Amino acid sequence: MTTERPILWTPSPERAEASTMAHFIRWIEQEYGLTFDDYDALWRWSTSDLDNFWRAIWTYFEIGSADEVDEVITDRKMPGAKWFPGVKTNFAEVTLRQARKTPDKPALIVHSETFERKELSWKELERQVASVAKHLSDMGVGQGDRVVAVLPNTETAIIACLATVSLGGIWSLCAPDMGGVAILDRFRQIEPKVLIAQDGYVHNNKRIDRGELIATTAKGLPTLEHLVMLPVIGDLPEGAISWGTLTGEDVEFSPVPVDFEHPLWVVYSSGTTGNPKPIVHGHGGILLESSKQSLHQDLSDKDRFCWLTSSGWIMWNSQFTALGLGATVALFDAAPNNPDMLALWRFAAEEDLTYLGAGAAFYAGCLKAGIRPRDSVDLSALRSLGSTGSPLSDDAYRWIYDAVKPDVWLAPISGGTDLAGAFVGGNPMMPVRMGEMQCRLLGNAVRAFDESGDEINGQVGELVCTEPLPSMPLFFWGDTDGSRLHESYFDTYPGVWRHGDWIEFTDTGGSVIYGRSDATINRRGLRMGSAEIYQAVEGLPEVMDSLVVDLEFLGRDSFMPLFVVPAEGVTLDDALKTKIGDAIRAAVSARFVPNEMIEIAEVPRTLSGKKLEVPVKKLLLGGDPDKIVNRDSMANPESFDTFIVYAKTLNDNMKKEN
């Protein structure tokens, strides 16, 4: 039995009953004649009666007509399930339907260091999408053709994506701060016809010129027929088409109906090891998952939504969840710490945001900076906060309710690029407990398995999903026999999706993520993810960041080094090492006190902010540094050099001992 964690927030009866989740439950009861004693009963129905549950999502959110759906799922297995056979839809058409309801309402607000503040109404957004679609069609883009882009998180990427998929084209996006090799490693796999790019941007008051990178990218794509450029640093390159010429026409918006499982976009795994996996999602599956996700985010057309995200992270795609409901989406294309860590909170106050999301690292940074947004800005409109990317520490939960807003609903989620959604997350009708995500999401048959494939509760196990989801990958691009897809998710437990995270389900229905299961720490038989160690270490004011790995050398005891980034003006001396060891003993266990502590300048991270635990682990176990990590997929590639030096020293010492 797990100990119940303290409750930090409980919805008022009025808030709970006014939520979209409550409205959906009442609709289910009326339409299906079903009643549920609690949320768990609703979840069990949603994961057992897949036909009626996903039919209900389709109908409730008016994605399409209920009459056109004969079958919901055939071949109920993983991989291989087929969804909504014979049904036609189009992601862009459904996303832009608000333009016919409230044409003059703001659809997008853009805050960018590169451009002035912009606001696009629904009518103007639809007009520009239609115009760009017409020009893409003139370039020969049709069903199945790939359009790729290197763009920041501004309206250009949103418009280009919707225009592409409205034609049945397939969209793929990389962030402009990615390295050229990383971009080509992704785009070359899918053989695009059109590249849309911006030649630079301003970030943290610095002008970043990406003209040469874009030119190199275009030359490295042999199938490319057209280059569309938005010049902000230099002149329009010879032979390129100006983005501005694509957006100016007044033409009818005429999206092409496509099959439910027609490819929508290609997203990629982090690409830190090996060639990035080009993951293909479908129109209908993403519409269903996004609609259902909105229940767990309590979103509606009354919201003003922002998620702090790079255009290279799956959370960029998640902005369409709010947009598709008719909410106003605020795009934040700026450094959140410029001029200080209050920058994003000021934006939230100025734009009257009702929902703000960010990576867990952002909240940890705010905590470390000692800011108290509630004392500095007016957050009266803010109702909900989201978090993802890595586990949110107990200290960050406390900080949010103390320093941001005591009556805000905090709803962290955990899922990923693979399914363009979440497995566990929030429920506005349930209390928030410190360190927990509130519930398993509807339709997601997510469980914890032990090594034998048996379900466990109240213990840490592998996060798995035992029933198919419509947003699971259709396929990996180029994976003609499906072997790579199978190896990625279904090798460990046949017919069951293994996600690669450690998770514990609590007695109250919540869950705690403990980090990646392939970065597991196993100290004399006791297994643990890294999150609890980070919470203990990074809770100290003298520590800015850290990374821990467990090295299980053949025939030797576990060796666990801890790499520490001290706070400014602090060094990792013996006194601090003792303090860190004591903190781990008190918060975790003496068993997890590291064998060695090493001071470093930076923790290596992916472009989306995740710590590179697995590549570091492989390196220290003797792996080739050139094969272990793709530096162009790192936010700070030079940080890996420190670990290469340490790996040589470590292995030299081992040879001497032997």
Side-chain angles (χ1 to χ4, degrees):
M1 299 288 286
T2 53
T3 302
E4 288 191 11
R5 293 167 175 252
I7 293 174
L8 301 177
W9 178 86
T10 301
S12 66
E14 294 78 15
R15 170 81 192 258
E17 288 306 309
S19 68
T20 54
M21 181 69 77
H23 189 276
F24 177 71
I25 292 171
R26 291 192 293 268
W27 183 86
I28 289 288
E29 291 173 346
Q30 180 179 349
E31 293 293 318
Y32 287 80
L34 299 172
T35 56
F36 305 100
D37 293 335
D38 53 22
Y39 176 80
D40 189 57
L42 174 65
W43 174 79
R44 288 197 304 271
W45 169 75
S46 74
T47 55
S48 57
D49 191 352
L50 298 187
D51 189 287
N52 277 321
F53 172 71
W54 290 109
R55 190 186 298 269
I57 294 293
W58 176 269
T59 306
Y60 176 80
F61 285 98
E62 299 179 346
I63 299 171
S65 168
D67 297 336
E68 63 188 302
V69 180
D70 293 324
E71 284 186 290
V72 168
I73 181 172
T74 63
D75 297 329
R76 184 170 168 170
K77 61 183 181 181
M78 292 185 291
K82 300 297 180 185
W83 294 91
F84 288 69
V87 171
K88 300 285 187 179
T89 188
N90 188 290
F91 180 84
E93 180 178 28
V94 176
T95 301
L96 288 172
R97 60 191 169 186
Q98 192 69 24
R100 296 178 290 280
K101 299 176 183 177
T102 55
D104 297 323
K105 175 187 169 185
L108 297 177
I109 294 168
V110 187
H111 173 77
S112 169
E113 285 190 63
T114 310
F115 307 101
E116 296 180 356
R117 180 188 183 277
K118 298 178 186 177
E119 197 171 291
L120 269 72
S121 69
W122 281 97
K123 177 172 60 179
E124 179 61 15
L125 175 60
E126 184 184 64
R127 188 198 65 75
Q128 292 197 33
V129 169
S131 178
V132 173
K134 185 261 185 191
H135 283 278
L136 288 176
S137 179
D138 291 344
M139 295 177 204
V141 174
Q143 291 194 41
D145 291 320
R146 278 77 67 200
V147 174
V148 299
V150 182
L151 294 167
N153 184 29
T154 64
E155 80 283 2
T156 304
I158 298 288
I159 292 166
C161 173
L162 291 171
T164 298
V165 304
S166 75
L167 299 170
I170 304 170
W171 170 257
S172 194
L173 175 66
C174 281
D177 59 352
M178 291 179 68
V181 173
I183 293 172
L184 282 173
D185 280 350
R186 286 155 173 76
F187 288 167
R188 262 199 297 245
Q189 295 185 72
I190 65 172
E191 300 178 312
K193 180 176 284 188
V194 178
L195 168 64
I196 303 172
Q198 188 172 301
D199 70 351
Y201 57 95
V202 178
H203 185 79
N204 212 4
N205 299 328
K206 297 178 181 177
R207 285 168 59 86
I208 313 295
D209 188 340
R210 305 302 274 166
E212 185 175 337
L213 175 138
I214 300 304
T216 302
T217 300
K219 289 178 183 176
L221 298 172
T223 60
L224 200 68
E225 297 179 10
H226 302 281
L227 172 63
V228 178
M229 288 290 291
L230 175 56
V232 297
I233 300 292
D235 297 328
L236 186 71
E238 184 178 352
I241 302 166
S242 171
W243 169 258
T245 64
L246 270 61
T247 60
E249 294 198 33
D250 292 322
V251 294
E252 185 179 354
F253 179 51
S254 303
V256 177
V258 294
D259 290 339
F260 183 93
E261 291 195 335
H262 184 78
L264 170 68
W265 55 44
V266 182
V267 293
Y268 306 88
S269 63
S270 61
T272 52
T273 56
N275 216 22
K277 295 178 300 204
I279 300 167
V280 183
H281 295 128
H283 280 245
I286 295 300
L287 285 170
L288 283 174
E289 176 62 25
S290 291
S291 298
K292 183 210 65 185
Q293 182 75 31
S294 72
L295 297 172
H296 293 276
Q297 294 178 290
D298 196 22
L299 294 175
S300 74
D301 59 359
K302 299 180 180 62
D303 279 293
R304 293 169 71 87
F305 173 96
C306 175
W307 199 289
L308 175 64
T309 179
S310 157
S311 53
W313 190 17
I314 194 62
M315 297 313 295
W316 178 86
N317 305 69
S318 77
Q319 295 173 122
F320 286 105
T321 295
L323 196 66
L325 291 168
T328 297
V329 173
L331 308 175
F332 189 86
D333 176 41
N337 60 348
N338 181 23
D340 52 44
M341 287 300 292
L342 280 168
L344 183 63
W345 301 105
R346 290 192 195 94
F347 176 68
E350 292 165 1
E351 300 295 349
D352 292 324
L353 298 183
T354 60
Y355 190 108
L356 177 64
F362 169 74
Y363 298 114
C366 291
L367 187 160
K368 289 284 186 182
I371 64 170
R372 293 180 56 82
R374 64 182 294 190
D375 296 340
S376 304
V377 297
D378 179 8
L379 297 174
S380 56
L382 190 66
R383 301 171 67 246
S384 310
L385 284 175
S387 174
T388 194
S390 57
L392 190 65
S393 70
D394 289 359
D395 288 342
Y397 273 78
R398 291 192 197 97
W399 176 82
I400 284 168
Y401 281 100
D402 174 57
V404 178
K405 197 173 184 182
D407 63 342
V408 75
W409 172 48
L410 172 61
I413 61 174
S414 183
T417 300
D418 313 75
L419 70 151
F423 284 117
V424 291
N427 183 342
M429 302 180 72
M430 297 172 67
V432 173
R433 296 180 183 272
M434 185 168 64
E436 286 188 15
M437 280 159 283
Q438 292 169 289
C439 66
R440 314 175 205 227
L441 267 57
L442 295 177
N444 294 38
V446 60
R447 294 174 167 83
F449 273 13
D450 64 15
E451 291 178 352
S452 301
D454 296 322
E455 184 176 1
I456 53 176
N457 285 294
Q459 303 174 53
V460 179
E462 289 274 5
L463 189 160
V464 301
C465 188
T466 59
E467 294 287 353
L469 289 166
S471 66
M472 284 177 173
L474 300 176
F475 52 89
F476 291 169
W477 198 273
D479 182 26
T480 53
D481 62 358
S483 59
R484 197 178 181 198
L485 178 76
H486 189 275
E487 290 166 5
S488 296
Y489 309 115
F490 304 108
D491 253 5
T492 306
Y493 308 108
V496 172
W497 174 291
R498 173 187 172 271
H499 194 60
D501 281 339
W502 286 124
I503 193 167
E504 175 188 0
F505 290 103
T506 68
D507 295 336
T508 58
S511 61
V512 182
I513 294 284
Y514 290 90
R516 294 294 296 173
S517 57
D518 46 11
T520 304
I521 295 168
N522 186 355
R523 301 285 276 178
R524 295 179 291 280
L526 184 60
R527 299 185 308 171
M528 183 175 292
S530 53
E532 286 190 74
I533 294 174
Y534 294 141
Q535 183 169 308
V537 174
E538 294 169 22
L540 300 173
E542 297 91 346
V543 177
M544 181 59 65
D545 205 355
S546 64
L547 183 142
V548 65
V549 292
D550 179 31
L551 307 176
E552 297 171 87
F553 295 98
L554 186 64
R556 293 170 57 95
D557 289 338
S558 160
F559 180 81
M560 191 178 85
L562 173 69
F563 301 90
V564 177
V565 181
E568 188 174 353
V570 177
T571 58
L572 184 62
D573 55 19
D574 289 342
L576 180 53
K577 289 179 181 179
T578 299
K579 190 171 184 178
I580 290 171
D582 290 344
I584 294 172
R585 283 188 186 90
V588 187
S589 164
R591 193 180 301 198
F592 291 91
V593 173
N595 298 89
E596 188 174 8
M597 299 186 202
I598 305 99
E599 181 173 336
I600 59 173
E602 285 184 286
V603 168
R605 292 181 180 270
T606 67
L607 290 168
S608 60
K610 293 183 180 179
K611 301 182 184 188
L612 291 181
E613 294 169 323
V614 176
V616 167
K617 181 175 181 176
K618 289 181 178 179
L619 174 71
L620 300 187
L621 287 171
D624 183 345
D626 292 329
K627 296 179 180 178
I628 283 168
V629 67
N630 182 344
R631 292 190 177 222
D632 281 321
S633 293
M634 293 177 61
N636 49 355
E638 68 286 346
S639 66
F640 210 66
D641 294 335
T642 300
F643 293 86
I644 294 175
V645 174
Y646 178 79
K648 185 178 186 308
T649 303
L650 180 67
N651 286 288
D652 287 347
N653 290 339
M654 285 185 60
K655 289 176 183 176
K656 291 177 183 178
E657 291 177 15
N658 294 333

